[in-house]
């Protein structure tokens, strides 16, 4: 060693030899709890940051002059109407109400001279309810939400001129979530709620104080939420304490010093959108959103205003925050805005064109997906996408249903056919039994079609953009093996108006933390939802798969609550299907008949709106239920007038005839039918054929007499019998159902079918929504009173039984057996009239059957879904109540039983007991839900063999009985009758019976049909929708008597996909299992 000349690195020369003073470690919990002191209310309120938030506040005259006009009753007058009235002086501290009333304020602002040069001037208005600011020319500027949710409006610089300036505020007397009394927002609204105007003041805000508040909030969260064994947590804690020490309530300049300290944790770019330009790879993509329920704890009428309030906020906020991208769904809400607030719609349209405001979802509303029919789901997309395309120039790529109560199994197929390959939801995070295992995955339909599904791991669609939301976007991500990115959907929903400036400021700081300190997942703003999915799509091959429905393990009561809505939905779907078919035929038959497109659009838009996820499921307040009843009444009224016009062309009328000779049966189902129908009280006829109009023959006494009988075997015991079935009714219930052809008893010995059962129905919280698993433990069979023979006719016999439920409620049940028709499976029909006045009870009807299978079948949209009949695992048990359409079926090898219904959706099969859900009686949010009289029909259809087209067709027929009409002079002429006796378009006899020709309609853009939303297309066309109903490859031939020039396979939006060979009036169809196919027939 030696010879070294380099200076040796030694100890610091200035390091003191002796310790000058004791230095202690920060005691974590105490220093952490201290953090609150800078911003909390209470004893330090006037000594901490809160004291410096504003430089000055002025209220009252002459600076803020208030006058008011009260709109009469519950009216919601326009700006023009409201401002034409005289306004009367009013003041802060006054009360306004009652619930649902509207009050217009004229606000005259005069900025005092000493405030003119302040950095930021705002109007702060808080009346604890919702409001909309208008300028004096009648343009909405920005929404307000009371209760400190969104109370600021920035004064324009032009207001600093010392003059008086006028704005108007439209006050709505409801809170963000309606008008529930007390703290429980789902209780029925209090009709007498009043709101106090707490604040109306001009405020000079200190921007440094405001920004420091957010800095400190985020660093404080890091100190509270980062793990204690991380240096990042300790640094946050230290930074907060340094800020606390630097803060001096008597020196505004100290705010800047504090902010400088905050920079050491947040970085120096957090004061603008530049913070997002660091170029580092983000994993969390924030998108602004405002989930506006089209109705819920408020009526539809109020939603129209919520939309204007919320979206005007967002347009305003975008001007100040260039990183803000905002996505909003529901074409219906855009349409309301367009019609009622054209200037806001214009602003939105501009932002859409700039690529900042993103119409999303592709559907008319955020609808329920359990109960609407297949065709309704199609129309949600058709009406939604057409609105977006015609108003904004493009369609949506992402189906968006964050809040809907479960997702039916054919949605991926329908999405792809409507131009969407992506799907977003998050509701399954509410499951209260099993945790859904994926965040990002491929969701696969019954037919094998897939979409990319993403469920934001922050588990909310109304995130407050907290530090914790960003953190959870990684910590709760369940698909990290495949992809770590996620969406963060932030913004206040409903009355809250979407993202606030606080949300945007917080996210800037979260990004700052990631880039400066790390540990927090890196969030990014400035992308669209489509940008996010574009990245996912590139690696979608590696994603895990989920086959079949996304069953929601909560809200199972929504299949049954508000049964009139369900019934009206079913009836509307049927009437629309029938009328579109008839009007199509009529418009081709008679060129002078105009296809009533406008009327169909009106009807569909109302039906689709009522399928909104708090309307059809029955989870809205009574006011909204009444609005939906009015809409359905309109639908049926329009239907009646369309039918009248169509009848003239088809040569039929509803005018009553009493003779078979003048009569005809209208058939709108696409297969051969042979049924007995009533002509009047005393006469029946047999209708037979496969056309639209079926000829009738009298039910001949000699041949048909004795085909069905009813006998009293002993006291209270009756036997109904036809050539196929023998039914024994004892004590009002069916104790035996014997299939004479199969020589098989269907009811297990000693058990009772068509047995009513009553359950206690008190879910954990969400009354209208939930029926909870423990209700099954409270089953009580109802005992029936006396049974009597109701009618004995040649073609039909029936029994009537009265069943008492309670002192207030009862059921009249008619059990009917008709004459068996050769070649048709006979079934037992039950019609019940229920007087229902219960509280928190659930009425069901049970059918124990001698069938064994671990899975039952339920009709769903365009297919069948199989679900367990046992409780092996918690996943099986979670399905203790499920959704079913026109039938549920339990079959074993060689034999089965189907339960048909005309208006119900709730069902359960436990072991061998099939159970149809009839009525519930929740008291919130509608105190009178389902009270009154209900008419419900169901059928018990035993069948040989497995579930087949026999059940599928019978369920259709059960819902769509032949209609007895009189033939008018025109159709009595042999030519037209013969013509209509043959269907103009049909599947030939040799086609697979699994194929269903469901929809027949005219092309949306045909030149004689188009309403001009999108360019009209030359010529006339007919759209056919055909699906495989049973789940196997299905082939067939479509034949038509129309003069067709070419046939194309199209998607749901009627875009041409491929040419189909069409010769001699026929073309072949070849569908994979559960495929939904649409064809366009171009007429010559
Ligand atoms: Zn919702």
């Amino acid at each position: 060693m030696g010879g070294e000349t380099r200076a040796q690195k030694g100890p610091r020369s200035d390091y003191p030899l002796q310790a000058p003073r004791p230095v202690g470690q920060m005691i974590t919990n105490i220093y952490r709890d201290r953090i609150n002191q800078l911003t909390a209310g209470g004893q330090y309120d006037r000594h901490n940051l809160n004291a410096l938030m504003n430089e000055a506040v002025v209220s009252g005259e002459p600076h803020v002059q208030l006058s008011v006009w009260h709109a009469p009753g519950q009216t919601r007058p326009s700006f023009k109407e409201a401002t034409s009235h005289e306004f009367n002086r009013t003041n802060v501290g006054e009360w306004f109400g009652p619930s649902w009333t509207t009050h217009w304020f004229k606000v005259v602002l005069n900025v005092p001279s000493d405030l003119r040069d302040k950095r930021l001037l705002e109007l702060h208005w808080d009346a604890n309810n919702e409001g909309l600011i208008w300028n004096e020319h009648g343009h909405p500027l920005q929404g307000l939400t009371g209760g400190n949710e969104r109370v600021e409006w920035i004064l324009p610089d032009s207001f600093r001129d010392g003059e008086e300036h006028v704005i108007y505020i439209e006050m709505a007397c409801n809170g963000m979530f309606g008008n529930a009394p007390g703290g429980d927002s789902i209780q029925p609204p209090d009709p007498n709620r009043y709101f106090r105007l707490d604040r109306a003041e001009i405020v000079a805000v200190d921007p440094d104080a405001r920004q420091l508040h957010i800095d400190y909030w985020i660093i404080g969260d890091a100190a509270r939420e980062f793990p204690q064994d991380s240096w990042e947590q300790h640094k946050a804690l230290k930074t907060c304490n340094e800020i606390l020490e630097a803060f001096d309530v008597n020196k505004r300049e100290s705010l800047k010093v504090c902010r400088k300290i905050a920079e050491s944790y947040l970085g120096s770019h957090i004061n603008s959108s530049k913070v997002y330009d660091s170029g580092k790879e983000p994993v969390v993509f924030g998108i602004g959103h405002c989930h506006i329920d089209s109705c819920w704890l408020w009526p539809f009428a109020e939603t129209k205003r919520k939309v204007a309030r919320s979206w005007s906020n967002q347009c305003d906020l975008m001007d100040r925050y260039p990183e803000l991208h905002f996505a909003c769904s529901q074409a219906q809400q855009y349409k309301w805005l367009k019609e009622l607030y054209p200037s806001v719609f214009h602003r939105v349209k501009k932002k859409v064109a700039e690529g900042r405001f993103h119409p999303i979802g592709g559907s008319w509303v955020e609808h329920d997906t359990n109960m609407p029919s297949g065709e309704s789901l199609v129309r949600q997309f058709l009406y939604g996408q057409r609105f977006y395309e015609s108003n904004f120039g493009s369609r949506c790529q992402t189906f968006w249903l964050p809040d809907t109560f479960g997702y039916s199994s054919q949605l991926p197929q329908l999405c792809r056919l409507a131009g969407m390959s992506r799907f977003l939801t998050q509701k399954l995070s509410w499951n209260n039994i099993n945790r859904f295992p994926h965040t990002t995955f491929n969701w696969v339909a019954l037919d094998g079609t897939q979409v990319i599904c993403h469920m934001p791991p922050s588990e909310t669609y109304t995130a407050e953009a907290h530090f914790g939301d960003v953190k959870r976007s990684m910590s709760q991500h369940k698909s990290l093996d495949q992809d770590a990115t996620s969406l963060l959907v932030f913004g206040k929903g409903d009355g809250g108006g979407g993202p606030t400036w606080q949300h945007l400021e917080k996210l800037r700081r979260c990004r700052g933390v990631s880039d400066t300190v790390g540990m927090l997942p890196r969030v990014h703003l400035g992308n669209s939802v489509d940008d996010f999915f574009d990245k996912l799509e590139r690696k979608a091959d590696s994603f895990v798969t989920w086959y079949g429905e996304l069953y929601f393990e909560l809200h199972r009561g929504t299949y049954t609550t508000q049964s009139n809505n369900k019934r009206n939905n079913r009836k509307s779907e049927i009437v629309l299907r029938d009328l579109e078919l008839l009007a199509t035929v009529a418009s081709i038959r008679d060129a002078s008949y105009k296809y009533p497109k406008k009327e169909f659009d009106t009807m569909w838009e109302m039906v689709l709106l009522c399928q909104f996820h708090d309307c059809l499921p029955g989870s809205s307040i009574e006011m909204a239920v009444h609005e939906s009843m009015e809409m359905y009444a309109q639908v049926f009224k329009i239907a009646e007038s369309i039918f009248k016009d169509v009848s003239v062309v088809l040569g039929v009328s509803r005018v009553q005839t009493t003779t078979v000779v003048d009569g005809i049966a209208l058939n709108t189902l696409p297969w051969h039918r042979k049924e007995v129908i009533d002509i009047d009280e005393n006469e029946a006829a047999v209708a037979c054929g496969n056309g639209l109009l079926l000829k009738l023959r009298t039910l001949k006494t000699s041949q048909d007499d004795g085909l069905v009988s009813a006998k009293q075997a002993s006291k209270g015991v009756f036997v109904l019998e036809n050539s196929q079935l023998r039914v024994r009714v004892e004590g009002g219930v069916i104790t035996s159902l014997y299939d004479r052809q199969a020589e098989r008893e269907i009811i297990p010995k000693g058990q009772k079918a068509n047995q009513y059962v009553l359950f206690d129905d008190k879910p954990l919280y969400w009354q209208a929504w939930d029926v909870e698993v423990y209700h099954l433990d409270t089953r009580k069979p109802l005992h029936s009173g006396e049974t009597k023979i109701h009618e004995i006719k040649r073609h039909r016999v029936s029994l009537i039984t009265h069943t008492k439920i309670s002192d207030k409620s009862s059921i009249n049940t008619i059990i009917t057996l008709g004459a068996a028709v050769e070649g048709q499976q006979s079934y037992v029909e039950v019609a019940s009239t229920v007087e229902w006045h219960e509280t928190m009870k659930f009425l069901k009807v049970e059918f124990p059957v001698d069938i064994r299978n671990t899975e039952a079948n339920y009709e769903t949209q365009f297919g069948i879904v199989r679900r367990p009949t046992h409780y092996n695992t918690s996943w099986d048990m979670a399905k203790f109540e499920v959704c079913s359409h026109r039938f549920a079926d339990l079959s074993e090898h060689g034999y089965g039983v189907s339960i048909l219904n005309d208006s119900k959706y709730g069902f359960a099969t436990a072991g061998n007991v099939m159970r149809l859900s009839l009525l519930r009686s929740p008291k919130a949010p509608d105190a009178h839900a389902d009270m009154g009289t209900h008419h419900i029909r169901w059928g018990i259809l035993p069948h040989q063999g497995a579930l087949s087209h026999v059940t599928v067709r019978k369920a259709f027929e059960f819902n769509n009985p032949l209609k007895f009409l009189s033939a008018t002079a025109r159709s009595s002429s042999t030519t037209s009758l013969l013509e209509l006796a043959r269907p103009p378009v049909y599947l030939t006899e040799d086609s697979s019976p699994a194929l269903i020709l469901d929809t027949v309609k005219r092309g949306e853009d045909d030149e004689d049909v188009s309403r001009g939303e999108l360019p009209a297309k030359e010529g006339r066309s007919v759209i056919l929708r055909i699906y495989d109903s049973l789940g196997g490859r299905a082939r067939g031939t479509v034949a038509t008597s129309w003069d067709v020039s070419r046939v194309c396979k199209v998607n749901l939006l009627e875009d041409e996909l491929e040419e189909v060979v069409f010769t001699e009036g026929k073309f072949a169809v070849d569908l994979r299992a559960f495929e939904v196919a649409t064809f366009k027939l171009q007429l010559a």
Side-chain angles (χ1 to χ4, degrees), residues 165-271:
H165 294 268
V166 177
I167 57 165
Y168 289 90
I169 295 180
E170 177 189 9
M171 173 197 279
C173 284
N174 55 266
M176 222 170 127
F177 295 111
N179 277 318
D184 183 355
S185 68
I186 68 161
Q187 288 309 307
D190 173 358
N192 270 312
R193 212 172 144 203
Y194 282 76
F195 297 85
R196 183 178 185 270
L197 177 58
D198 285 341
R199 272 198 289 165
E201 56 204 21
I202 298 172
V203 179
V205 176
D206 185 326
D208 290 327
R210 184 176 272 184
Q211 295 298 337
L212 176 62
H213 188 272
I214 312 272
D215 291 347
Y216 191 77
W217 187 349
I218 294 299
I219 306 170
D221 280 349
R224 286 179 287 260
E225 296 188 33
F226 272 159
Q228 271 194 45
D229 60 0
S230 66
W231 67 265
E232 293 89 344
Q233 188 268 338
H234 287 273
K235 185 175 165 68
L237 185 59
K238 188 143 190 295
T239 308
C240 284
N241 280 280
E242 282 171 11
I243 292 172
L244 267 165
E245 280 146 26
F247 176 79
D248 184 342
V249 75
N250 298 311
K251 284 190 194 150
R252 273 195 190 274
E253 313 86 79
S254 72
L255 295 171
K256 284 196 170 27
V257 178
C258 293
R259 289 214 69 205
K260 196 75 197 161
I261 297 169
E263 268 187 21
S264 69
Y265 203 86
L266 302 173
S268 56
H269 300 297
I270 50 160
N271 294 314

Side-chain angles (χ1 to χ4, degrees), residues 62-74:
H63 303 299
V64 182
Q65 299 170 46
L66 302 177
S67 54
V68 66
W69 173 71
H70 309 288
Q74 295 185 354

Side-chain angles (χ1 to χ4, degrees), residues 35-46 48-50 213:
I35 294 176
N36 284 337
Q37 288 192 355
L38 188 69
T39 51
Q43 59 179 338
Y44 300 122
D45 192 40
R46 286 192 293 159
N48 65 15
L49 183 55
N50 297 344
H213 188 272

